[in-house]
Amino acid sequence: MLTVFGSTALDTIRTPTKVLKNVLGGAATFAGISSSFFVKTGLIAVVGKDFPKKYHDVLASRLNLDGLSVKNGKTFRYDGKYDKTLSTRTTLRTELNVLENFQPRVPQHYKKSQFVYLANNDPDQNIALIKEFDRVKFSMCDTIEFWISTKKASVIKMFKKVDAVVINDEEARLLTKEFNLIKCAKKIMDWGTKYVIIKKGEHGSLLFFEDVIFPSVAFSIENAIDPTGAGDSFAGAMIGYLASKKKTDLAAIKKSTVYGNVMGSFAVQGYGLDGLLQIKKSDIKKRVALYEKITRF
Ligand code: AMP
């Protein structure tokens, strides 16, 4: 089993073609739904009393929700706007609401998880949560500009507690104050994490381990409409694939980045979660086969 902890949100997403208001989102939502294609996934998250039943049903259809808390107050809200290239997003508002000072409850049966993903969330909460798991074989985390600007020291501390950090290029630069991505990764590895995966949006990703660099291209598509959650879907697929194979060696981690790129490409093909909710396992298999074909030479 895999445990995913992080934000579950009501997102407002402004794309050049459509504005979505208060739709189901959140880093743990995207990551968990993505990983659920590979392995049974338990979610630890918090929502407010305003969280619509229809969204609860979507989560329940894919994930174990024994770790979901419903608190008095409003659900975490995020508001972001893309430019016309879809590659630059400006955060207009982050409202923590019930996520602020949340003390997660870890169901007893989750504690056996050997794979744990700390999706984008308050780094102090992530640090406290990982301590509750004593059989972890592989853990991974992500972060976002909001936490780098408000809790940088905690973000670095969180990196020390996990095996792998997945982070996008802009955030890696912001955090390390380096521009070159190899330098960024080296600095992050120096802080104490073994693997660093830098996501580069439509340009794929770079995996770093000791002196190894493994680049993987994105699966190119011409109908990207909403990139929200692509990074979380990438990470969810990586750790979901590893958990399904119960492997953590470098070869498996390299392969997991291919699944990451493939799930990221599905995520951007629909608004909000639609891209992930519309596919079947067979679509993933087909796209991975195609990915292999187009990258072979
Ligand atoms: P991505 O597009 O992969 O960067 O992920 C976007 C998702 O992250 C959205 O669904 C948001 O709800 C969520 N998110 C945005 N800001 C934060 C934050 N500060 N902490 C946790 N989750 C966030």
Side-chain angles (χ1 to χ4, degrees):
M1 185 184 153
L2 163 70
T3 295
V4 173
F5 175 49
S7 62
T8 290
L10 294 176
D11 283 344
T12 293
I13 305 295
R14 302 162 200 273
T15 75
T17 44
K18 201 172 179 177
V19 176
L20 310 163
K21 289 225 163 108
N22 293 321
V23 294
L24 176 58
T29 305
F30 281 99
I33 290 180
S34 176
S35 65
S36 72
F37 284 94
F38 302 90
V39 72
K40 279 204 171 70
T41 303
L43 177 73
I44 302 182
V46 59
V47 294
K49 287 266 163 63
D50 59 348
F51 192 66
K53 182 177 177 307
K54 63 175 181 187
Y55 292 159
H56 188 278
D57 292 346
V58 172
L59 296 177
S61 69
R62 311 271 170 158
L63 304 166
N64 182 298
L65 298 185
D66 294 345
L68 181 71
S69 305
V70 183
K71 297 272 184 219
N72 280 327
K74 282 167 78 183
T75 302
F76 171 82
R77 277 173 170 71
Y78 173 79
D79 189 334
K81 184 177 192 290
Y82 291 94
D83 71 349
K84 64 178 189 304
T85 70
L86 284 181
S87 49
T88 307
R89 179 172 69 196
T90 311
T91 294
L92 302 179
R93 216 154 40 98
T94 302
E95 263 183 49
L96 295 178
N97 300 328
V98 291
L99 196 67
E100 190 159 19
N101 303 321
F102 171 54
Q103 291 183 332
R105 194 179 42 78
V106 182
Q108 205 55 36
H109 66 108
Y110 283 26
K111 293 196 176 178
K112 294 197 289 283
S113 294
Q114 292 188 314
F115 292 80
V116 177
Y117 180 52
L118 305 173
N120 216 330
N121 194 12
D122 182 328
D124 290 322
Q125 287 181 28
N126 281 354
I127 293 167
L129 187 99
I130 193 78
K131 289 190 191 139
E132 304 253 350
F133 294 82
D134 46 19
R135 292 168 59 180
V136 181
K137 212 168 148 179
F138 192 79
S139 57
M140 219 165 74
C141 76
D142 189 2
T143 196
I144 204 166
E145 185 192 348
F146 180 84
W147 300 113
I148 297 171
S149 345
T150 57
K151 290 191 168 195
K152 184 173 168 179
S154 299
V155 168
I156 295 172
K157 197 169 157 204
M158 167 175 76
F159 286 2
K160 290 188 209 302
K161 310 278 178 202
V162 293
D163 297 293
V165 168
V166 266
I167 186 164
N168 82 20
D169 45 7
E170 262 181 60
E171 272 131 10
R173 287 179 174 128
L174 180 71
L175 183 64
T176 60
K177 299 204 162 67
E178 295 285 355
F179 182 78
N180 179 282
L181 294 178
I182 302 174
K183 288 192 174 149
C184 293
K186 281 188 173 163
K187 206 157 184 178
I188 296 173
M189 286 193 286
D190 282 347
W191 287 332
T193 188
K194 287 200 277 287
Y195 299 90
V196 175
I197 299 96
I198 300 189
K199 300 168 287 178
K200 301 188 297 163
E202 63 179 316
H203 304 295
S205 73
L206 295 170
L207 159 69
F208 298 87
F209 170 68
E210 293 177 349
D211 53 358
V212 176
I213 304 179
F214 177 70
S216 59
V217 294
F219 183 87
S220 301
I221 48 166
E222 53 180 308
N223 55 351
I225 50 175
D226 176 9
T228 310
D232 310 307
S233 306
F234 180 104
M238 271 190 75
I239 197 155
Y241 170 79
L242 292 170
S244 73
K245 299 286 178 202
K246 295 195 169 57
K247 284 186 176 169
T248 59
D249 58 284
L250 182 61
I253 295 173
K254 284 181 178 178
K255 196 155 178 189
S256 76
T257 65
V258 169
Y259 283 87
N261 281 297
V262 163
M263 292 305 282
S265 72
F266 283 121
V268 304
Q269 281 183 306
Y271 292 106
L273 273 169
D274 289 354
L276 292 187
L277 295 178
Q278 282 159 1
I279 57 166
K280 298 188 292 293
K281 275 186 183 167
S282 57
D283 297 313
I284 301 171
K285 214 172 152 193
K286 273 188 226 148
R287 194 164 279 189
V288 169
L290 198 53
Y291 185 103
E292 214 169 343
K293 195 171 155 203
I294 58 180
T295 54
R296 194 184 305 134
F297 65 92

